[in-house]
């Protein structure tokens, strides 16, 4: 007697699976319903126009398809190789990228080439495009601004003392072959935080207190002090005059500038040698910390998108990756507001 099995075969099994995914709730379908990817693609094409070959050849994939792939890659922290595999393997990924019925999908080289073509300008266009869609929905910067920075680690480089000295001088060891040079990140720097050493880059952000949306960003190497980015990420459009930051940002000049321009200084005080903080200053720091901690939620959300570790070599590609981190965080924030029915006010 033939043994019975719960497995049923059907020529239309893919369609049944697609309907099941929809009934369970496809998070990518939710993203697609709330984000105007055509507008984002238009912004990318504006700063990095599609190449046109006079000799013909295979046309490039649509910019919108590639933008959607970049979003997936960042949301789930996938490498180019993993992205190619997932596009072949996952129906929901292909459907999200408009490739459900496509015989061919972009391979790892295509993804890598597109990223290099649009570069930092393209990533910034995506960040600005998502920000514009947030503003169109009424989510303007409210409640005050919070400024902070996070370290973004990169693969550690194992160089000799002599090689490090040459790199610091802007030179390259003569015995490094071209293949080895391509794998050496000579832009990333070391820094220490809480007694622990880090190698990589730094992402500084400005977040509004009301919606926890990233309003402005600045990227740099890890050794750059947080306070050097304060002016570049300062947002004059916030409806509140409160400015929050931790103990790495205070200075007499900054305090005087804030006061002169009508902003309320909510930057934590820092004790000095032989001059500890008074009880009043400590209470002030504690009060500010309750609000300033909201920026840590943003960094935590970025960490949940597969982590912050970079897979790239060099500052240009690191800047691209960090800008995409901020853009995809804001994208997810907008989807959350729309799906939860949260209206701007």
């Amino acid at each position: 007697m033939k043994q019975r099995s719960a497995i049923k075969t059907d020529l239309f099994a893919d369609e049944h699976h697609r309907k099941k995914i929809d009934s369970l709730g496809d998070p990518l379908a939710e993203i697609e319903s709330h984000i105007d990817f055509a507008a984002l693609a238009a912004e990318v094409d504006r700063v990095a126009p599609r190449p046109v070959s006079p000799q013909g050849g295979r046309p490039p994939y649509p910019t919108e398809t590639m933008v959607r792939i970049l979003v997936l890659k960042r949301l789930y922290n996938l490498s180019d190789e993993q992205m190619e595999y997932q596009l072949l393997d996952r129906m929901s990924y292909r459907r999200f990228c408009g490739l459900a019925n496509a015989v061919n999908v972009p391979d790892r080289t295509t993804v890598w080439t597109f990223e290099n073509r649009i570069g930092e300008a393209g990533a910034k266009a995506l960040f600005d495009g998502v920000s514009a869609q947030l503003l169109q929905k009424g989510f303007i910067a409210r409640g005050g601004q919070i400024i902070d920075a996070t370290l973004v680690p990169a693969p550690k480089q194992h160089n000799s003392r002599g090689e490090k000295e040459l790199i610091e001088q802007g030179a390259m060891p003569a015995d490094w072959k071209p293949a080895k040079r391509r794998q050496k990140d000579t832009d990333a720097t070391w820094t220490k935080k809480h007694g622990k050493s880090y190698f990589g880059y730094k992402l500084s952000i400005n977040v509004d207190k009301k919606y926890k949306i990233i309003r402005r960003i600045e990227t740099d190497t890890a050794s750059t002090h947080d306070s050097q980015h304060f002016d570049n990420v300062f947002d004059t459009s916030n409806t509140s005059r409160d400015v929050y930051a931790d103990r790495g940002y205070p200075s007499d000049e900054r305090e005087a500038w804030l006061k002169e321009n009508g902003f309320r200084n909510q930057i934590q005080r820092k004790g000095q040698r032989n001059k500890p903080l008074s009880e009043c200053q400590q209470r002030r720091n504690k009060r500010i910390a309750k609000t300033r901690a909201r920026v840590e939620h943003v960094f935590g959300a970025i960490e949940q998108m597969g982590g912050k570790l970079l897979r790239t070599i060099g500052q240009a590609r690191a800047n691209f990756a960090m800008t995409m981190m901020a853009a995809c965080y804001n994208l997810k924030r907008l989807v959350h507001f729309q799906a939860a029915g949260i209206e701007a006010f």
Side-chain angles (χ1 to χ4, degrees):
M1 183 177 178
K2 185 177 180 180
Q3 190 174 9
R4 299 177 64 191
S5 172
I7 299 176
K8 297 180 181 180
T9 58
D10 193 325
L11 293 175
F12 302 99
D14 284 346
E15 183 63 26
H16 294 309
H17 296 162
R18 192 174 293 111
K19 291 179 179 179
K20 184 67 173 180
I21 288 175
D22 290 337
S23 66
L24 293 173
D26 182 0
L28 298 183
E30 191 172 53
I31 291 175
E32 185 173 22
S33 66
H34 296 301
I35 301 296
D36 186 352
F37 281 98
L40 296 181
E43 284 298 304
V44 172
D45 282 337
R46 182 179 59 82
V47 300
R50 285 160 56 94
V52 178
S53 175
Q55 298 179 351
R58 191 185 73 176
Y61 285 93
T63 302
E64 182 177 344
T65 294
M66 299 308 299
V67 166
R68 287 170 180 257
I69 289 174
L70 292 189
V71 169
L72 281 179
K73 184 182 170 185
R74 184 63 260 168
L75 287 177
Y76 299 104
N77 196 20
L78 301 172
S79 66
D80 294 338
E81 292 79 5
Q82 291 169 333
M83 190 69 246
E84 179 185 358
Y85 176 82
Q86 294 296 344
L87 282 173
L88 292 168
D89 184 63
R90 301 188 67 160
M91 176 190 66
S92 60
Y93 278 29
R94 291 195 301 274
R95 182 170 66 170
F96 177 76
C97 296
L99 299 168
N101 299 316
V103 175
N104 59 324
V105 301
D107 59 18
R108 65 195 72 181
T109 304
T110 302
V111 176
W112 184 87
T113 302
F114 181 76
E115 283 190 359
N116 278 275
R117 180 174 71 79
I118 67 174
E120 295 178 55
K124 187 64 167 57
L126 287 174
F127 176 81
D128 292 340
V130 175
S131 299
Q133 293 188 32
L134 280 160
L135 293 177
Q136 289 171 3
K137 301 294 183 181
F139 295 103
I140 64 174
R142 294 182 180 273
Q145 55 188 299
I146 310 171
I147 295 173
D148 204 358
T150 186
L151 291 169
V152 181
K156 296 177 182 177
Q157 306 291 299
H158 301 284
N159 302 320
S160 66
R161 181 175 298 179
E163 290 172 338
K164 290 179 182 178
E165 292 176 352
L166 284 173
I167 292 171
E168 290 174 357
Q169 297 171 7
M172 191 78 69
D175 59 341
W176 282 7
K177 296 181 179 179
K180 184 174 182 178
R181 293 182 182 184
R182 287 194 294 269
Q183 298 301 317
K184 286 293 186 178
D185 193 337
T186 58
D187 297 328
T189 56
W190 287 92
T191 191
K192 277 197 171 184
K193 185 176 182 180
H194 305 308
K196 187 177 179 179
S197 295
Y198 294 88
F199 180 80
Y201 297 88
K202 180 166 290 183
L203 172 64
S204 293
I205 64 174
N206 181 309
V207 176
D208 70 309
K209 176 186 172 184
K210 175 68 177 177
Y211 299 116
K212 290 192 293 189
I213 294 171
I214 299 176
R215 301 296 176 174
R216 301 190 66 176
I217 63 172
E218 182 74 14
T219 57
D220 213 324
T221 57
S223 60
T224 305
H225 196 272
D226 296 0
S227 63
Q228 294 186 28
H229 292 164
F230 185 92
D231 295 337
N232 292 338
V233 299
F234 194 86
D235 183 14
T236 57
S237 65
N238 198 294
T239 60
S240 172
R241 311 300 284 177
D242 290 316
V243 181
Y244 297 87
D246 64 21
R247 285 170 284 189
Y249 291 89
S251 71
D252 293 339
E253 295 81 5
R254 183 159 294 139
E255 185 172 347
W257 184 89
L258 291 172
K259 185 176 181 180
E260 181 181 347
N261 289 274
F263 292 97
R264 287 187 288 272
N265 182 6
Q266 305 286 0
I267 302 176
Q268 292 180 312
R269 306 291 187 191
K270 184 178 181 180
Q272 299 177 0
R273 183 177 295 181
N274 301 323
K275 192 178 179 182
L277 296 177
S278 66
E279 291 185 7
C280 179
Q281 290 173 323
Q282 292 179 21
R283 287 195 301 269
R284 179 180 179 273
N285 278 1
K286 189 174 181 180
R287 172 179 57 80
I288 292 173
K290 293 180 179 179
T291 298
R292 197 207 65 80
R294 291 177 67 80
V295 74
E296 301 299 340
H297 304 165
V298 178
F299 292 138
I302 292 176
E303 185 72 35
Q304 288 177 349
M305 292 191 305
K308 293 184 292 185
L309 177 66
L310 297 176
R311 303 174 184 271
T312 58
I313 300 294
Q315 186 163 2
R317 292 183 63 81
N319 291 346
F320 177 92
M322 290 187 284
T323 304
M324 286 300 300
M325 286 181 191
C328 288
Y329 167 81
N330 280 355
L331 181 147
K332 287 189 68 176
R333 198 76 180 138
L334 175 55
V335 172
H336 166 70
F337 290 148
Q338 297 293 94
I342 298 174
E343 296 184 358
F345 65 91

